Amino acid sequence: MRTLAFPYTEAMAEKIHGYTLGSEVNDTWQDLNRRYTRHPKNLPYRDLSLGLRYVSSDYATICKDPDGPGTLLLMRKKIDTAIISRLFAAFERDLAARHGAPFEDLLGPLLRRTKPRTIHIAKYLQAGTVTHADIPNWVFDVATWRTIELLRGALKLPDGTDLLLRPDIDGNLVAFNRPLPETHPRAEQGIHYISLEPITVPGYPGILLNLDAHISATTGFPGNAKSLWIATDDTGMLLTARHRYDRPTNRNVITGLLPQLVDSFSIRGVPADFTADDLLATHPRIRARHATRPDRHPIGSGPGRRFLDCVLEHATARLNTESLVLETTPIRNIDAPGDPDRHAKLASAVNAAARPIHISVVYQDDLQRHRSAQALTEVLNLPENSLTTAGSTFLDGALTITFDSAKTDMLVVPGPTHLRNTLAEQIISTRTPDALHLVLAESNKELAAAKPAEDPKPQLRRALAAHGTVSQFIDPASTPKPDAVDHPANAAVRDLLRAAGLTATTPTRVFSRPLQPQPCIIVGLYTREQNQPATRMISLSALISDGTDKPWHMVGYHPDAHGWNDLPTAIAAHHATDLSQFNDPNPTTRTALARAYTERALHQLRTRYDDIPMIIYIDGSNRYPLWSGTTNKNLGNGQVDALPHLGMINPAGISLVRVNTASDGKLPQPVRATGNRANADDGAVPATERLHQLPGAHEDTYYLINRSRSDKAFQSSVRAGHRQTRFDLAEVRELRTPWHAMTCTEFLLLEHGAFERQHLAALSARLCGHSLAWDGRTARPAPVHLARQILEDHPGRKTAAR
């Protein structure tokens, strides 16, 4: 499998220039702030760095001196110290103007006599003698901007035309002058851009430069904009900026000091504000990126495999090196085989549940009631047209389904929380005694968008969870065309049953050859940081098998559920309380508290199951990992607290696997499958879905290549993305279609435990291929997917919709 990750070699390394910023520079700035505001502040080094990038059209950063104390300005290109002095003086001038004070020019003279020194990058890249821990962060950035220098310019498209790639100050390559479609009455267009992410992979020496292509939806309405690209000329560096609406002056103002800082270095100047007319111009200087891609935007998501293939060819030629190649493993049977009895098995799981199931369908629109009835009928293999009455019992009394109509303002219209509390009490009052109660309710994200803070969906979910009831929602926006399979509604029903701990996937299917069925407990840990306020989110779930073909016993952890408990009880406990209890402003303290919480949960589970194999899957978190030994730069750390299992009972029987996914942004982007193909002349970029290894790595690292269900089906709506780019489409309607590419999941086997290396890798892949709630493949193994879903569904979770 060919990827878009290229090694940053010593041959590509170069020397950069360092300008020492004496302590008196920052001290003077603090004194000026103290004079005006009585509070000292450090220099805004980020704005200075970005300003210097624009001025030099290349990399610049301000960081700690790598060879001693103090602060250093690093640049790939030498720059006149008069320019540096001028930029620092601009900050002082703005500070004085804001406080009505005279400009004294105290900072500028401190920089005019600064002399650069040369720093050689190659000394940080000596393969075999240094580890990832020895490479400073700024070396990764220098590698990125060296790549930008080589890749900027014309990228050849399949039809022979060129796409001009221009860098922005954030380190992306943007096709600013070639939007799609080229004309649109409201400037609702899409911009191709390429991101560059320096990464390391476990057991592989040095830095990899990972490229990925994206499409950013743009808008001609300032109120929909998240950020701006500003072109101050036709070919050079693009500025990125934020904006706000200034109500007193009725203007959209470009915020931050950066535009003022670099204005005098631009031939055209940088605008201080803009209007919709500026975004709607024939050749706009400003393009606004959509805050969220609307459902009816004329450009769909994803660049498609053909465009990524063009990027691969462009990078290979410009960088004069070969990209990283992943090799297939002998393991082939990683996916769930076709299962015609899937519905029957799920119905059997419901019938064999420890408690009767009561599903309440809550609706205000008859069409959504009909959708829910159809989905329940199909997923559970119920008799056709058996859900036409207000209530019915199935599966020998093990399943009760009732339909409850609710008023529009109570169910889907934003409003105060007490409305949803009242509705929840009404729903709960109809539940069957001693039954496990589940709710499938209608929601409406279009209505909720008007008042996100009063979105009925999280309000109702929290209110139901307080009564121990889990819920799932379906939205009218997902209603398919007539006669089409209603995948969203079917998935909602399966997700609801998954939250109840019910699934058609059984342990023996996961432990098929070359593995053998055996008693086992498989734990999933998911953790992330959420900002504003700073919060460490964390959840744990587990699948438990006694080694037979009985369905998985699915459990989750939460203190309010008395520790480990049945999955629906744990989910309800999560959703009825705050998103997290780890809200300390200090990230180190948050991490320590979350680590103690997690280790306590793992110890409790190991105490209960101390004599059978345990597998712990840790979802990789780039920020503040819970255990230092799970990071690439600290692999092999033998300290007791470096890994979670070292202090547990019978650690020899515990396997430990770190899981990273494409959404973490630290994995190589798969592009083109290698090897011979029977249809090599059809023009399609070849794909694969195998388990791969990284040759040359000294750690047990595996990569599972993933494709979306639509991509695998090779439907007409996605077929074009396999052979064409959006620039050579024959039909405009295909621009609106999401175009798919391959992604991958990384498994780092930190401890084999009771399993052989290849067997543990195969099991990890199968837990993605045997998904619990639907008929596709998940990006994470099943228990991690469960743990993640608990947090993603939490009423307190910040999402794009609210």
Side-chain angles (χ1 to χ4, degrees):
M1 168 57 62
R2 183 71 66 180
T3 71
L4 275 176
F6 291 81
Y8 184 70
T9 63
E10 290 188 52
M12 295 171 63
E14 56 195 337
K15 60 184 180 181
I16 64 170
H17 309 285
Y19 299 80
T20 301
L21 305 180
S23 59
E24 65 270 25
V25 175
N26 195 61
D27 291 344
T28 302
W29 177 260
Q30 289 190 345
D31 289 341
L32 287 168
N33 274 278
R34 189 182 292 109
R35 183 188 308 174
Y36 303 135
T37 66
R38 298 184 181 180
H39 298 288
K41 291 183 180 180
N42 289 327
L43 269 165
Y45 288 134
R46 172 173 167 77
D47 282 348
L48 277 167
S49 297
L50 295 179
L52 284 163
R53 288 181 190 180
Y54 172 79
V55 171
S56 64
S57 281
D58 209 308
Y59 176 68
T61 193
I62 298 175
C63 62
K64 291 182 178 179
D65 192 330
D67 298 321
T71 305
L72 199 65
L73 166 61
L74 296 173
M75 302 191 70
R76 290 185 61 247
K77 296 180 180 178
K78 274 190 176 180
I79 191 170
D80 191 335
T81 53
I83 294 178
I84 302 175
S85 174
R86 185 170 145 194
L87 287 169
F88 276 75
F91 277 92
E92 182 181 346
R93 184 180 290 108
D94 176 78
L95 180 67
R98 279 188 280 124
H99 296 281
F103 169 58
E104 301 178 51
D105 195 18
L106 299 177
L107 291 177
L110 299 176
L111 280 302
R112 293 192 184 106
R113 294 184 297 274
T114 299
K115 300 294 183 183
R117 75 171 189 261
T118 301
I119 300 175
H120 293 276
I121 299 296
K123 72 176 184 178
Y124 296 98
L125 303 173
Q126 299 169 14
T129 61
V130 295
T131 65
H132 300 315
D134 298 319
I135 304 177
N137 289 334
W138 56 266
V139 175
F140 288 73
D141 295 334
V142 172
T144 296
W145 283 81
R146 170 60 173 159
T147 309
I148 288 173
E149 180 183 47
L150 295 172
L151 296 183
R152 66 185 301 176
L155 182 151
K156 188 72 68 178
L157 296 172
D159 62 359
T161 60
D162 290 332
L163 189 67
L164 181 63
L165 299 177
R166 301 171 59 178
D168 66 15
I169 58 174
D170 292 328
N172 301 306
L173 288 163
V174 186
F176 184 87
N177 297 336
R178 190 79 187 275
L180 285 171
E182 294 188 3
T183 58
H184 193 278
R186 297 189 306 277
E188 298 287 310
Q189 298 169 316
I191 297 292
H192 281 65
Y193 73 97
I194 298 171
S195 63
L196 298 93
E197 180 80 23
I199 64 172
T200 62
V201 294
Y204 191 87
I207 298 174
L208 289 169
L209 299 165
N210 188 53
L211 282 65
D212 201 359
H214 315 270
I215 293 181
S216 179
T218 65
T219 180
F221 177 56
N224 287 338
K226 177 182 180 181
S227 61
L228 309 174
W229 273 310
I230 305 173
T232 59
D233 56 32
D234 293 330
T235 59
M237 183 84 71
L238 297 168
L239 284 173
T240 57
R242 299 279 182 172
H243 75 287
R244 63 176 176 84
Y245 175 66
D246 187 63
R247 189 174 296 277
T249 61
N250 192 29
R251 297 185 306 160
N252 295 291
V253 181
I254 298 175
T255 59
L257 187 58
L258 184 61
Q260 300 174 41
L261 185 68
V262 301
D263 182 79
S264 62
F265 295 94
S266 167
I267 296 175
R268 296 179 182 174
V270 180
D273 54 65
F274 67 99
T275 65
D277 291 339
D278 295 316
L279 304 179
L280 296 168
T282 305
H283 301 289
R285 293 179 57 201
I286 302 176
R287 296 193 189 276
R289 305 173 71 176
H290 244 297
T292 57
R293 184 188 301 272
D295 294 333
R296 295 186 178 90
H297 197 277
I299 300 292
S301 60
R305 291 210 302 268
R306 174 55 69 189
F307 186 77
L308 285 167
D309 194 57
C310 294
V311 175
L312 174 64
E313 294 176 0
H314 177 74
T316 302
R318 292 291 187 91
L319 300 180
N320 196 29
T321 185
E322 292 295 323
S323 67
L324 191 71
V325 175
L326 304 177
E327 295 181 351
T328 57
T329 66
I331 302 295
R332 291 291 184 267
N333 55 334
I334 57 173
D335 273 330
D339 188 0
D341 297 326
R342 179 181 180 88
H343 301 308
K345 286 186 177 180
L346 190 51
S348 297
V350 173
N351 199 26
R355 298 165 59 190
I357 308 294
H358 179 184
I359 300 177
S360 293
V361 179
V362 184
Y363 68 96
Q364 60 89 34
D365 180 87
D366 287 339
L367 175 59
Q368 300 312 306
R369 181 201 188 281
H370 177 67
R371 286 185 71 198
S372 301
Q374 278 191 320
L376 287 163
T377 298
E378 181 174 343
V379 170
L380 290 170
N381 199 31
L382 302 178
E384 192 72 25
N385 299 320
S386 59
L387 295 177
T388 56
T389 60
S392 303
T393 302
F394 304 93
L395 305 178
D396 299 326
L399 174 65
T400 300
I401 301 176
T402 59
F403 293 86
D404 302 308
S405 175
K407 294 181 179 179
T408 302
D409 61 337
M410 296 282 284
L411 184 60
V412 296
V413 176
T417 304
H418 72 81
L419 291 175
R420 256 53 75 178
N421 292 337
T422 301
L423 178 59
E425 290 173 0
Q426 293 175 3
I427 297 170
I428 295 299
S429 66
T430 64
R431 67 182 173 185
T432 304
D434 300 324
L436 176 60
H437 192 209
L438 314 174
V439 171
L440 181 65
E442 181 180 345
S443 64
N444 193 308
K445 68 177 183 180
E446 185 175 349
L447 293 176
K451 292 183 179 180
E454 297 182 348
D455 186 351
K457 181 176 173 179
Q459 291 177 347
L460 182 57
R461 174 166 273 156
R462 186 185 295 275
L464 290 169
H467 294 278
T469 296
V470 294
S471 54
Q472 189 55 261
F473 295 81
I474 59 172
D475 194 293
S478 66
T479 305
K481 295 179 181 179
D483 302 325
V485 177
D486 196 344
H487 292 293
N490 291 353
V493 171
R494 292 194 185 103
D495 262 331
L496 183 66
L497 295 172
R498 178 265 308 159
L502 302 172
T503 174
T505 296
T506 55
T508 52
R509 297 180 67 213
V510 176
F511 281 94
S512 60
R513 293 184 300 174
L515 288 88
Q516 296 296 323
Q518 61 178 305
C520 189
I521 178 167
I522 306 175
V523 187
L525 163 66
Y526 184 81
T527 178
R528 283 297 184 274
E529 289 272 333
Q530 178 167 290
N531 296 325
Q532 297 178 351
T535 300
R536 163 73 77 166
M537 305 177 294
I538 193 163
S539 61
L540 297 99
S541 68
L543 308 179
I544 302 171
S545 171
D546 62 3
T548 68
D549 202 26
K550 290 169 56 179
W552 296 103
H553 181 204
M554 300 161 63
V555 297
Y557 180 84
H558 194 274
D560 289 357
H562 307 292
W564 290 95
N565 210 324
D566 292 337
L567 188 62
T569 303
I571 292 176
H574 269 280
H575 293 175
T577 56
D578 292 337
L579 176 64
S580 172
Q581 57 183 292
F582 311 119
N583 302 315
D584 193 284
N586 186 317
T588 302
T589 304
R590 286 200 305 274
T591 300
L593 293 172
R595 181 169 57 247
Y597 172 92
T598 306
E599 290 178 348
R600 184 166 61 252
L602 293 173
H603 278 278
Q604 287 180 14
L605 197 61
R606 190 57 176 165
T607 301
R608 190 183 305 178
Y609 302 96
D610 62 347
D611 57 346
I612 64 175
M614 173 183 280
I615 307 170
I616 302 175
Y617 286 99
I618 303 173
D619 196 55
S621 175
N622 296 326
R623 297 179 62 193
Y624 316 118
L626 294 185
W627 297 278
S628 61
T630 63
T631 61
N632 288 349
K633 63 183 180 181
N634 288 320
L635 294 179
N637 188 332
Q639 297 180 7
V640 176
D641 60 350
L643 294 173
H645 72 293
L646 296 179
M648 294 171 61
I649 299 172
N650 189 16
I654 301 176
S655 306
L656 184 64
V657 182
R658 190 195 72 186
V659 181
N660 273 344
T661 65
S663 61
D664 299 323
K666 298 292 185 180
L667 295 183
Q669 168 63 56
V671 177
R672 178 197 300 162
T674 55
N676 297 326
R677 296 180 296 128
N679 57 343
D681 297 326
D682 68 356
V685 180
T688 185
E689 286 189 289
R690 298 298 186 191
L691 185 63
H692 292 70
Q693 284 178 290
L694 178 60
H698 60 77
E699 297 289 342
D700 293 335
T701 311
Y702 293 82
Y703 294 88
L704 178 63
I705 306 300
N706 299 316
R707 295 167 61 199
S708 69
R709 182 171 56 186
S710 297
D711 188 58
K712 285 187 287 187
F714 205 57
Q715 299 169 353
S716 59
S717 60
V718 300
R719 206 170 292 161
H722 301 170
R723 295 187 173 92
Q724 298 173 289
T725 71
R726 294 180 189 269
F727 296 96
D728 51 359
L729 280 178
E731 297 187 38
V732 176
R733 67 178 179 83
E734 292 176 336
L735 288 173
R736 296 192 297 268
T737 302
W739 279 16
H740 302 260
M742 292 176 284
T743 60
C744 66
T745 299
E746 177 188 80
F747 303 114
L748 172 59
L749 311 187
L750 293 165
E751 291 289 345
H752 302 162
F755 294 88
E756 294 182 15
R757 177 171 55 89
Q758 291 274 13
H759 292 178
L760 183 57
L763 180 61
S764 302
R766 287 177 182 171
L767 286 166
C768 298
H770 294 252
S771 52
L772 298 175
W774 63 302
D775 54 355
R777 178 189 280 174
T778 54
R780 297 167 176 84
V784 184
H785 180 75
L786 287 176
R788 177 180 181 270
Q789 207 61 44
I790 290 172
L791 291 182
E792 292 301 304
D793 291 342
H794 195 285
R797 182 77 165 104
K798 292 181 180 178
T799 66
R802 52 181 189 272

